[in-house]
Amino acid sequence: MAGLGAVALGTAGAIASTAPAQAAPVATGAKDVTRAESVADLARLRARDGEVAIVAGYREPGDAGLLVYVGSEDGELAANGGTVIGGKHGTRWILQHDGTVDFRVFGITGPEKPADDALAAMVNDPRIRRIQASTDLLFRRRHRFTRSHLEIDFGGHLLTTDGIEQNTHDNPFGAVMFFTGVSKDVVVEHALAEAWPELTDAVAVPDASRFPVDSWWAVQCDPVAGGGADERELQRFVQVTQQIDAHHIRIDYLNGWPLDKGRKLSWRQMEPVAGVRIANMRFLGAGPFDGPTDGSFPDSRELTGSHPIAFEYAIHCDVADVHASRTWWPVIMRRWNTHFTTERCSVENPPTVFYGGAGYLTQQIYSLYGRVSDCTSSNARHLNDLTASAYCLVENCHGDGDDQGGNPFTTHGQYEHDLTFIGNSGLMDIANSGAQWGTSAKRITVRDHVCSWFVAGTKITDLTLENVRVIGRSTFDPQATMTINADGAQVRGCTAGLLAIGQRSQRSSRPTVIQDSTFALPKDQVLVQTPVTATVRFVDCTITGVDGVKARGSGPVEFVDCRLSGPAAAAPFEIGASRLTIRGGSVRDVRLTATAARDQLVTLDGVELGTERADGALLTRAAGGVITWRVNGVTSTVPKGAAHLDIGTGINHARVTGSQFVGGGLRLADGFADASTLLYTDNVERGVETVLPAAGDRVLIADVLTSA
């Protein structure tokens, strides 16, 4: 093609007025150059090997730009009406291009004619590296491709799918464009000869020579013994990076969950699809909106509905600027993907948000190293779903319309780990899909998030929340719910209403700490649920609405420099923890009651207590176990009729020292019979009606300063 550019440029101005195709050369010195007004005209000519043809347009001059073909007498090359044109006597005209081809080259200039054949021809042509669209398009087939290293840019135009062929049942990969890797028909199955520790990329295999460096494998472990049917800690698409020795390989993945010796692994070698990028599309799904409103079966829309993109066994496959509505399955569906981005995409108004798997923007299953950013959803099920995935980032994504039944941000609970969410807004529900998959996750981090509902109460280990604001909304959750699992959870700078702390796992080595946060509890809230055995520590927190609140778990509960308050007529705060510690801070209009459901240690150190209520006691107990009291440096102010401490039942060992009591009363006489002990020293009483037991071998009262 050397020199063709000059010939083509010199001829372009004359093509529009030329006569029908003629074989005569058009420029002095040019050899075998033919010109034609349309592809149809070109098809009436016999092509000779190496003959150059310049065509003014597909149907008429200019409708597809200037087209250049080279002739071939090899008739075995299939004509496709675009890049390969059938000529006279079985010859072929082959389109010349720089790797970029437009749908217009196939005569597709709008949605009047389906573009499926053109898409298939271009994707399967290895000479084409970039496909672009200049008009709206119509697709009626669900394509499956194995092509790599290709960009498809739809130029912001609308893709419609009215009349698309039926999908198969429960098939989110029946997209208009499904790119998938190819099996190498190699499977290696074995039991681990040695344990595979967490965050380790070296793994024992029977024969390392079967795992070539740079080969790709879908690896999974056997189900968890006694667990759900699909409960596996490992399902990832990984690359072999090193053969360490005869029985060890290294992969490009630090495993998130330890596997014991004897656990079974299955490896399937794949040739991945790589380097595909799809961008700049508006997509309108097919099918009606009418159907079951609760997600029940049958729903024919799973067969008639449509969605644009799916990837499986894919690496470095990206999607950008895709905006869809009325889609059935996820707009971008991924499984066994690694190293990918999804950016500036959106979904709105899918036909359902209740049918399982439908109505998403994007779902990633068994995926690694992904980034989802700058995406939005409206009235959809999930903006982003990370299932059995790891080391992914979701940033600056925003979901609205979640009153309709979906929640924009979710993980499946299939042993996800090391996922990070930054600067997003919308409901969040982590690892909550059910016991079948394990309801487990690890090291999930959420920063700078705003929502009206945040649920992370299943087996989530080392959850980190920073500046998460849960703001109640009357149309969805007025209580502004936040739930967490007390297994290494760390909450900093967060705001919510209802806070519920449960415990369903014990995997973490770090404490559960809630710090610099604010909560407005509803009446009778169970703050710490019964199964909690871990220590829960509140630091510099403000907790209002303490009215009938309960901490039922046996694990220690600590409040350090916190501010607790309730309405003046509030019901008691019932504490069932084995140890309650309140150090510093203040407790206003809150009556603390030790339930004595077990032996308890109650420590108040340097706390400011107070109430305007003229009855009851700020600190008391119920009948039951032995309670040890440590009250030191407390300042308590109550009106007449109320009590600072009322210890009137059970066995008690109390040390009340260095404290100041103003007004009200101290009622300690009845709680220190045989087997109880009391040390009451160095205290100041101002206007206090004190009822203490008589001094003796088990009761020491000394250095008490009293005044009216």
Side-chain angles (χ1 to χ4, degrees):
M1 296 302 294
L4 177 61
V7 175
L9 289 173
T11 310
I15 284 182
S17 59
T18 189
Q22 48 190 298
V26 297
T28 303
K31 181 180 180 181
D32 295 333
V33 175
T34 298
R35 62 187 180 186
E37 282 194 348
S38 68
V39 168
D41 290 340
L42 183 66
R44 288 193 286 268
L45 301 178
R46 176 178 179 177
R48 297 176 176 83
D49 284 339
E51 180 180 4
V52 176
I54 301 175
V55 184
Y58 193 89
R59 292 187 179 85
E60 59 186 29
D63 66 355
L66 190 64
L67 306 176
V68 178
Y69 292 85
V70 168
S72 172
E73 297 181 30
D74 181 5
E76 294 185 1
L77 188 63
N80 59 29
T83 55
V84 181
I85 304 299
K88 194 174 181 181
H89 301 308
T91 59
R92 298 290 185 262
W93 295 99
I94 302 172
L95 181 70
Q96 302 302 292
H97 54 77
D98 60 359
T100 298
V101 177
D102 195 296
F103 280 89
R104 295 179 302 166
V105 165
F106 288 79
I108 305 298
T109 56
E112 297 77 22
K113 176 182 178 182
D116 297 281
D117 289 341
L119 176 66
M122 289 188 285
V123 171
N124 293 318
D125 185 343
R127 301 182 308 149
I128 296 175
R129 295 289 179 166
R130 187 175 189 273
I131 299 169
Q132 64 185 33
S134 300
T135 66
D136 296 347
L137 299 172
L138 170 66
F139 291 99
R140 286 183 170 163
R141 298 209 303 269
R142 303 176 190 270
H143 299 266
R144 184 179 187 274
F145 301 123
T146 59
R147 168 71 190 279
S148 292
H149 305 298
L150 175 69
E151 180 177 1
I152 308 177
D153 189 332
F154 289 95
H157 295 287
L158 178 66
L159 275 60
T160 53
T161 53
D162 292 340
I164 192 170
E165 65 179 321
Q166 282 210 344
N167 199 357
T168 55
H169 170 61
D170 196 24
N171 180 25
F173 296 94
V176 171
M177 293 169 286
F178 172 35
F179 285 84
T180 181
V182 178
S183 173
K184 303 277 283 187
D185 294 326
V186 176
V187 176
V188 179
E189 295 181 337
H190 64 98
L192 281 170
E194 58 192 58
W196 188 0
E198 181 180 7
L199 296 181
T200 305
D201 53 12
V203 58
V205 294
D207 182 0
S209 67
R210 299 192 65 183
F211 296 84
V213 172
D214 293 333
S215 60
W216 286 88
W217 301 78
V219 58
Q220 69 177 24
C221 64
D222 55 347
V224 174
D230 295 299
E231 186 172 350
R232 293 178 170 88
E233 303 98 318
L234 176 68
Q235 290 169 296
R236 305 286 186 266
F237 193 43
V238 298
Q239 182 184 31
V240 176
T241 60
Q242 183 183 4
Q243 293 176 351
I244 300 173
D245 56 34
H247 300 291
H248 294 84
I249 61 172
R250 194 181 308 280
I251 59 176
D252 67 335
Y253 167 60
L254 295 170
N255 64 318
W257 303 85
L259 296 176
D260 294 334
K261 178 180 177 180
R263 291 293 298 276
K264 295 178 181 179
L265 297 185
S266 175
W267 306 75
R268 288 180 295 114
Q269 188 177 5
M270 303 294 300
E271 184 66 36
V273 60
V276 173
R277 185 177 189 271
I278 302 174
N280 299 319
M281 173 206 308
R282 292 183 296 126
F283 186 90
L284 182 63
F289 258 73
D290 57 314
T293 58
D294 58 358
S296 61
F297 293 96
D299 191 332
S300 62
R301 295 173 298 176
E302 68 150 337
L303 307 177
T304 60
S306 63
H307 62 296
I309 301 164
F311 290 105
E312 190 172 35
Y313 306 111
I315 60 174
H316 301 290
C317 289
D318 302 330
V319 178
D321 302 293
V322 171
H323 304 287
S325 62
R326 298 176 63 100
T327 45
W328 182 259
W329 297 117
V331 178
I332 304 110
M333 181 69 198
R334 299 181 185 270
R335 187 167 64 184
W336 303 105
N337 278 212
T338 185
H339 301 293
F340 61 89
T341 63
T342 300
E343 54 188 346
R344 298 184 305 278
C345 296
S346 68
V347 63
E348 64 178 9
N349 300 324
T352 180
V353 295
F354 296 106
Y355 190 101
Y360 298 13
L361 173 62
T362 183
Q363 181 173 32
Q364 294 84 202
I365 303 176
Y366 320 147
S367 295
L368 288 171
Y369 311 130
R371 186 175 190 271
V372 179
S373 62
D374 306 316
C375 294
T376 60
S377 66
S378 295
N379 307 321
R381 183 180 177 93
H382 301 319
L383 186 157
N384 182 85
D385 184 351
L386 288 160
T387 296
S389 298
Y391 302 117
C392 293
L393 171 68
V394 181
E395 186 172 20
N396 192 34
C397 293
H398 306 281
D400 57 54
D402 40 32
D403 289 9
Q404 303 303 311
N407 50 293
F409 302 96
T410 191
T411 77
H412 206 64
Q414 201 165 346
Y415 290 87
E416 298 88 27
H417 68 91
D418 296 287
L419 305 177
T420 302
F421 300 82
I422 301 176
N424 305 301
S425 66
L427 302 188
M428 180 168 279
D429 183 0
I430 298 175
N432 200 28
S433 290
Q436 177 180 343
W437 296 278
T439 58
S440 294
K442 182 183 291 186
R443 292 188 295 272
I444 307 296
T445 299
V446 184
R447 297 192 181 103
D448 304 327
H449 192 94
V450 178
C451 59
S452 59
W453 194 62
F454 184 97
V455 176
T458 56
K459 291 183 281 188
I460 302 169
T461 300
D462 292 343
L463 172 70
T464 300
L465 307 181
E466 297 179 0
N467 192 29
V468 174
R469 300 181 67 87
V470 186
I471 301 171
R473 195 167 70 235
S474 61
T475 55
F476 185 81
D477 178 21
Q479 294 182 317
T481 297
M482 173 184 284
T483 68
I484 62 173
N485 184 40
D487 186 13
Q490 299 202 348
V491 179
R492 294 186 288 271
C494 296
T495 301
L498 185 156
L499 175 65
I501 303 169
Q503 185 175 0
R504 297 180 62 180
S505 57
Q506 297 180 357
R507 295 165 170 154
S508 180
S509 61
R510 73 181 193 177
T512 294
V513 180
I514 300 101
Q515 185 171 0
D516 300 323
S517 298
T518 300
F519 305 97
L521 304 180
K523 182 176 174 57
D524 297 327
Q525 169 61 24
V526 180
L527 178 64
V528 181
Q529 297 172 354
T530 302
V532 178
T533 59
T535 299
V536 176
R537 192 176 199 214
F538 293 86
V539 181
D540 289 319
C541 291
T542 298
I543 303 177
T544 62
V546 181
D547 184 359
V549 170
K550 299 165 181 62
R552 290 175 173 162
S554 63
V557 176
E558 302 177 1
F559 296 93
V560 179
D561 294 328
C562 293
R563 296 154 298 280
L564 279 65
S565 64
F573 183 176
E574 300 176 12
I575 309 291
S578 59
R579 297 200 310 271
L580 169 66
T581 301
I582 305 179
R583 182 172 292 112
S586 63
V587 179
R588 299 288 305 175
D589 292 318
V590 174
R591 293 189 292 163
L592 299 167
T593 298
T595 65
R598 55 186 59 85
D599 291 350
Q600 292 179 275
L601 170 62
V602 177
T603 301
L604 277 70
D605 187 358
V607 186
E608 181 183 344
L609 304 175
T611 186
E612 297 178 0
R613 183 170 177 161
D615 64 347
L618 294 183
L619 187 62
T620 187
R621 62 161 293 171
V626 176
I627 299 184
T628 301
W629 306 86
R630 298 288 182 261
V631 180
N632 180 65
V634 168
T635 300
S636 179
T637 304
V638 301
K640 185 176 181 179
H644 307 278
L645 283 78
D646 185 349
I647 303 175
T649 187
I651 298 175
N652 301 277
H653 298 287
R655 185 178 67 198
V656 183
T657 60
S659 297
Q660 177 173 279
F661 303 100
V662 179
L666 282 166
R667 303 167 189 162
L668 305 179
D670 297 333
F672 294 90
D674 293 345
S676 294
T677 59
L678 171 63
L679 174 65
Y680 187 84
T681 66
D682 301 311
N683 297 310
V684 176
E685 300 174 1
R686 294 168 49 199
V688 179
E689 296 178 1
T690 304
V691 182
L692 299 174
D697 294 340
R698 293 174 292 100
V699 177
L700 175 61
I701 302 173
D703 300 325
V704 178
L705 177 62
T706 62
S707 64

